[in-house]
Amino acid sequence: MTSFDSSSPQINVWRMLLALAVVFVMLATTGWTATRHGRESTALQASLSAWEQGSVGGHRLPDPDAGPARLTRFFASLTVQQRDALARRYPLAVGNMNGAPPGLRYRANRVALAQAVRTERDRMSDARLSRAGQQVAGKRMHRFESMLRNGRQILAFDPDGSGRAAEVFGDLDRAERISVIVPGVDTNLLTFQRTYRGYSAPVGMAGSLYAAERAASPTTRTAVIAWADYTAPAGLGIDSATAMRAEDGAVRLNALLRALPGRAPVSLFCHSYGSVVCGVAAHDLPQRVADIAVAGSPGMRVAKAEHLGTPARVWAMRDATDWIQDVPYLEFGGLGHGADPVSPAFGARVLSARDADGHAGYFAPGTDSLRNFADIGVGAYDAVRCADEDGACRVGLSGASMAGRA
């Protein structure tokens, strides 16, 4: 439910209904059960295990699962040479460690990406793989090579399975406002960015929002994170109709938010199933999260915005051509995601999405949806455009605008 789109909305709706019907049958005949399987060894887990056995300056390294404040203090106590040595020695561990300085994570992930490029290049000629497997290896290699180019700031990278990643636009350490984009279904390393329909992918969304924020307020230092660092559902099926993926994503999202440097206000921009992640995460968000804005949402797992349990402002939008409006807005036995966030009864501040096209068009330049996201991102709340003519979405806002639209 993020970059996934179709020229036939009816087909998507029927797929969702069919998925719900299948699960209802499962519930009726077998009961709702969950099996927790032992995790297989991965490159990231191997790097973390090596870190746990390592040392620096004659002292053991801290627990990689320690709180971000503890890890921040640890890295601050090291010399530049010691930090760089850890990044080279344990690149995946450091590159995904909440609490490590962003710049160090970028450097560690460059090392990890270079290693992943070599691995996939070898797999391209591995006779044990099918031709299709070799082709996938080639696609992954090219993706990793592109992530190494042009000084890109990769904040998280895990090549295991379909993969996870996060990328920063702007200076995260010096930002006065931080925006985090949370995408939905079919998000993985191969769809992290796209050439065709680029604004439907996390990297395109973040780059577009960063440019729009700078245009909205040139004097405001902003940073935007394309956050695809959770395992999203693949396609429209049982995973996308339940909150199982969202629950894990919510834990990971809150871990990121608690580790962000500085004290800048944070705005979440949650697209499609990403709004389910944000809804599940809402009650545990850090206080610095000022806004949750959802677009093309199938629901946030609550009946009303006030039930999210957060003081953050809740915004919602949906364009008139988005097929998501035809999915069942319900929740029963864990299936479905609850009330429609743009309905009056939900209680969100409903924004205009004029000129957005379809389910994946909310971050396209020239749309009200992108302009509204940018105004929220820089704190220009009095400049947002509401879905209705009476400006209801701006009622009761406190805190004057930091910037206005030129």
Side-chain angles (χ1 to χ4, degrees):
M1 293 180 197
T2 178
S3 58
F4 186 96
D5 206 351
S6 173
S7 59
S8 177
Q10 292 81 7
I11 291 176
N12 285 301
V13 174
W14 280 109
R15 285 175 179 168
M16 176 64 82
L17 292 173
L18 178 61
L20 290 171
V22 169
V23 181
F24 278 127
V25 171
M26 292 172 60
L27 285 168
T29 59
T30 63
W32 185 253
T33 59
T35 304
R36 186 178 299 273
H37 299 284
R39 292 183 299 175
E40 297 179 1
S41 177
T42 67
L44 173 55
Q45 289 161 10
S47 186
L48 289 169
S49 295
W51 169 280
E52 290 171 342
Q53 303 302 315
S55 63
V56 62
H59 299 284
R60 293 288 299 273
L61 299 175
D63 184 342
D65 293 323
R70 165 75 178 90
L71 292 171
T72 297
R73 290 193 299 271
F74 164 72
F75 282 106
S77 73
L78 304 178
T79 65
V80 172
Q81 293 77 13
Q82 287 174 323
R83 288 195 290 269
D84 286 346
L86 291 176
R88 291 192 301 271
R89 195 177 305 151
Y90 314 106
L92 282 172
V94 175
N96 292 279
M97 192 172 291
N98 290 315
L104 186 65
R105 292 179 67 169
Y106 305 156
R107 293 196 294 276
N109 282 321
R110 290 187 66 82
V111 175
L113 280 160
Q115 293 175 349
V117 166
R118 292 191 291 270
T119 297
E120 298 302 333
R121 184 180 292 120
D122 290 341
R123 286 167 51 81
M124 289 174 62
S125 57
D126 189 337
R128 294 171 297 179
L129 295 179
S130 66
R131 179 61 179 164
Q134 292 173 343
Q135 290 174 343
V136 170
K139 291 178 181 179
R140 285 167 60 90
M141 184 193 73
H142 291 308
R143 169 64 69 245
F144 301 158
E145 286 178 334
S146 72
M147 292 171 72
L148 278 168
R149 297 189 191 117
N150 303 322
R152 292 175 64 174
Q153 301 178 136
I154 306 301
L155 186 67
F157 170 65
D158 181 359
D160 183 53
S162 60
R164 297 192 292 250
E167 181 171 3
V168 176
F169 292 75
D171 189 336
L172 192 57
D173 284 311
R174 299 178 64 246
E176 297 170 320
R177 303 278 308 194
I178 298 173
S179 299
V180 181
I181 292 174
V182 184
V185 165
D186 287 334
T187 299
N188 54 55
L189 281 172
L190 291 181
T191 61
F192 187 50
Q193 64 189 74
R194 295 179 185 272
T195 301
Y196 174 64
R197 295 171 62 246
Y199 301 123
S200 69
V203 170
M205 292 176 179
S208 182
L209 179 59
Y210 181 60
E213 288 182 349
R214 296 184 71 185
S217 181
T219 61
T220 302
R221 294 194 303 271
T222 65
V224 179
I225 303 174
W227 188 79
D229 195 24
Y230 81 106
T231 302
L236 295 179
I238 293 174
D239 276 355
S240 63
T242 69
M244 288 186 292
R245 298 290 190 186
E247 288 167 356
D248 175 67
V251 171
R252 298 183 67 84
L253 177 60
N254 272 310
L256 164 84
L257 296 172
R258 292 193 180 91
L260 290 175
R263 298 182 179 180
V266 176
S267 298
L268 301 180
F269 299 95
C270 319
H271 178 235
S272 195
Y273 189 85
S275 66
V276 185
V277 177
C278 291
V280 175
H283 72 281
D284 204 28
L285 292 174
Q287 289 295 311
R288 68 190 292 186
V289 177
D291 305 281
I292 305 173
V294 303
S297 174
M300 300 182 73
R301 307 295 296 182
V302 293
K304 296 180 179 293
E306 63 188 32
H307 297 167
L308 290 168
T310 173
R313 286 171 287 267
V314 181
W315 310 82
M317 66 171 71
R318 185 175 64 226
D319 81 78
T321 62
D322 190 339
W323 59 260
I324 201 75
Q325 64 190 307
D326 295 321
V327 305
Y329 281 97
L330 54 83
E331 190 278 325
F332 179 76
L335 299 172
H337 302 302
D340 183 352
V342 303
S343 66
F346 188 78
R349 300 175 182 274
V350 183
L351 297 161
S352 170
R354 185 169 56 87
D355 296 325
D357 183 18
H359 187 58
Y362 293 97
F363 290 85
T367 58
D368 267 7
S369 50
L370 179 63
R371 285 188 288 264
N372 278 326
F373 284 161
D375 286 332
I376 291 169
V378 300
Y381 300 114
D382 60 358
V384 299
R385 295 177 179 175
C386 304
D388 52 37
E389 296 295 329
D390 60 6
C393 72
R394 294 190 298 270
V395 172
L397 288 175
S398 60
S401 162
M402 290 175 57
R405 189 178 295 140

